[in-house]
Amino acid sequence: MELKPIPIDSHPTQPPARGEVLSSHVPEVARVLRNTYALLSLTLLFSAAVATTGMVLKLPAPGLLLTLGGYFGLLFVVYRFKDSGWAIPAVFALTGFMGYTLGPLLAKMAGLPGGAQVIAMALGATGATFLALSAWVLATKRDFSFMGGFLFAGMVIALLGGLGAIFFQVPALGLAVSAMVALLSAALILYETSRIVNGGESNYVLATVGLYVSIFNLFTSLLSLFGLGGGDD
């Protein structure tokens, strides 16, 4: 199940013009970028460790209701404490929980013929996509803030479509949703990175969560597509 938090803008008092970063915002942007990528690296490693532990211990899948409840509940906690010292523990709780939900999916995929290769392909494609898109935005400083409403609407449609595929047992719909989410996740990486670069996001905790969830969604979507639905739960 692909999930995406509702974007919450944290604009500075006087945001820069589209596609430009005012000189007075450059130090702040550099600080947010540095802290975001540092925290993102740590959360990805932590999430991967939790997922690997789940695979080794063969932990059961949490189920749809627990997954949705845990995700949105922890996401609420992150936003509630985004400006306090509890923000970092909340982020690790959220990413650790998402790693836990990923463990059974990876275990199932690894048990299929060629499953290890599928996981490696999805992981490599996710990493290459994230690095390429991030590098492009950092180099060009393009502003993709105009995409926010479209991307949010697309993710809502994808979430409803994914629920429909689960309840009505339609594998073809599930694959179509995975393809849609993969494209939306790539676009969200552009959107979220451009917001940081252009001074539209000054809270590195929220920036980290946004990028992490986009990467998570991209990986699980590619896993389903490369596995021809084998990892579609």
Coordinates of all heavy atoms in Angstrom, one line a residue, residues 117-131 219 222 226:
Q117 N 16.7 -10.9 -7.3 CA 17.0 -10.0 -8.4 C 16.0 -8.9 -8.6 O 16.4 -7.7 -8.9 CB 17.1 -10.8 -9.8 CG 18.3 -11.7 -9.8 CD 18.1 -13.1 -9.1 OE1 17.0 -13.3 -8.5 NE2 19.1 -14.0 -9.2
V118 N 14.7 -9.2 -8.4 CA 13.7 -8.2 -8.5 C 13.9 -7.1 -7.4 O 13.8 -5.9 -7.7 CB 12.3 -8.8 -8.3 CG1 11.2 -7.7 -8.2 CG2 12.0 -9.6 -9.5
I119 N 14.2 -7.5 -6.2 CA 14.5 -6.6 -5.1 C 15.7 -5.7 -5.4 O 15.6 -4.5 -5.2 CB 14.7 -7.3 -3.8 CG1 13.4 -8.1 -3.3 CG2 15.2 -6.4 -2.7 CD1 13.6 -8.9 -2.1
A120 N 16.7 -6.3 -5.9 CA 17.9 -5.6 -6.3 C 17.7 -4.6 -7.4 O 18.1 -3.4 -7.4 CB 19.1 -6.5 -6.7
M121 N 16.9 -5.0 -8.4 CA 16.5 -4.1 -9.5 C 15.7 -2.9 -9.0 O 16.0 -1.7 -9.4 CB 15.7 -4.8 -10.6 CG 16.6 -5.8 -11.4 SD 15.5 -6.8 -12.5 CE 14.7 -5.5 -13.4
A122 N 14.7 -3.2 -8.2 CA 13.9 -2.1 -7.6 C 14.7 -1.1 -6.8 O 14.5 0.1 -6.8 CB 12.7 -2.7 -6.8
L123 N 15.6 -1.7 -6.0 CA 16.4 -0.8 -5.1 C 17.3 0.0 -5.9 O 17.5 1.2 -5.7 CB 17.2 -1.7 -4.1 CG 18.0 -1.0 -3.1 CD1 17.1 -0.2 -2.2 CD2 18.8 -2.0 -2.3
G124 N 18.0 -0.6 -6.9 CA 18.9 0.2 -7.8 C 18.2 1.3 -8.6 O 18.7 2.4 -8.7
A125 N 17.0 0.9 -9.1 CA 16.2 1.9 -9.9 C 15.8 3.1 -9.0 O 15.8 4.2 -9.4 CB 15.0 1.2 -10.6
T126 N 15.4 2.7 -7.8 CA 14.9 3.8 -6.9 C 16.1 4.7 -6.5 O 15.9 6.0 -6.6 CB 14.4 3.2 -5.6 OG1 13.2 2.3 -5.9 CG2 13.9 4.2 -4.6
G127 N 17.2 4.2 -6.2 CA 18.4 5.0 -5.9 C 18.8 5.9 -7.0 O 19.1 7.1 -6.8
A128 N 18.9 5.3 -8.2 CA 19.3 6.0 -9.4 C 18.3 7.2 -9.7 O 18.7 8.3 -10.1 CB 19.4 5.1 -10.6
T129 N 17.0 6.9 -9.6 CA 16.0 7.9 -9.9 C 16.1 9.0 -8.9 O 16.1 10.2 -9.3 CB 14.6 7.3 -9.8 OG1 14.5 6.2 -10.8 CG2 13.5 8.3 -10.1
F130 N 16.2 8.7 -7.6 CA 16.3 9.8 -6.6 C 17.5 10.6 -6.8 O 17.5 11.9 -6.8 CB 16.3 9.1 -5.2 CG 16.6 10.1 -4.1 CD1 15.6 11.0 -3.7 CD2 17.8 10.2 -3.5 CE1 15.9 12.0 -2.7 CE2 18.1 11.1 -2.5 CZ 17.1 12.0 -2.1
L131 N 18.7 10.0 -7.0 CA 19.9 10.8 -7.2 C 19.9 11.6 -8.5 O 20.3 12.8 -8.4 CB 21.1 9.8 -7.3 CG 21.5 9.1 -6.0 CD1 22.6 8.1 -6.3 CD2 21.9 10.1 -4.9
F219 N 10.0 2.8 -4.3 CA 10.5 1.5 -4.2 C 9.5 0.4 -4.2 O 9.6 -0.6 -4.9 CB 11.4 1.4 -2.9 CG 11.9 0.0 -2.7 CD1 12.9 -0.6 -3.5 CD2 11.5 -0.7 -1.6 CE1 13.3 -1.9 -3.3 CE2 11.9 -2.0 -1.3 CZ 12.9 -2.6 -2.2
L222 N 7.9 0.1 -7.7 CA 8.8 -0.6 -8.7 C 8.9 -2.1 -8.3 O 9.0 -3.0 -9.2 CB 10.2 0.0 -8.7 CG 10.2 1.5 -9.2 CD1 11.7 2.0 -9.1 CD2 9.8 1.5 -10.7
F226 N 8.2 -4.7 -11.2 CA 9.2 -5.6 -11.6 C 8.9 -7.1 -11.3 O 9.3 -8.0 -12.0 CB 10.6 -5.3 -11.0 CG 11.2 -4.0 -11.4 CD1 12.2 -3.3 -10.7 CD2 10.7 -3.4 -12.6 CE1 12.7 -2.2 -11.2 CE2 11.2 -2.2 -13.1 CZ 12.2 -1.6 -12.3

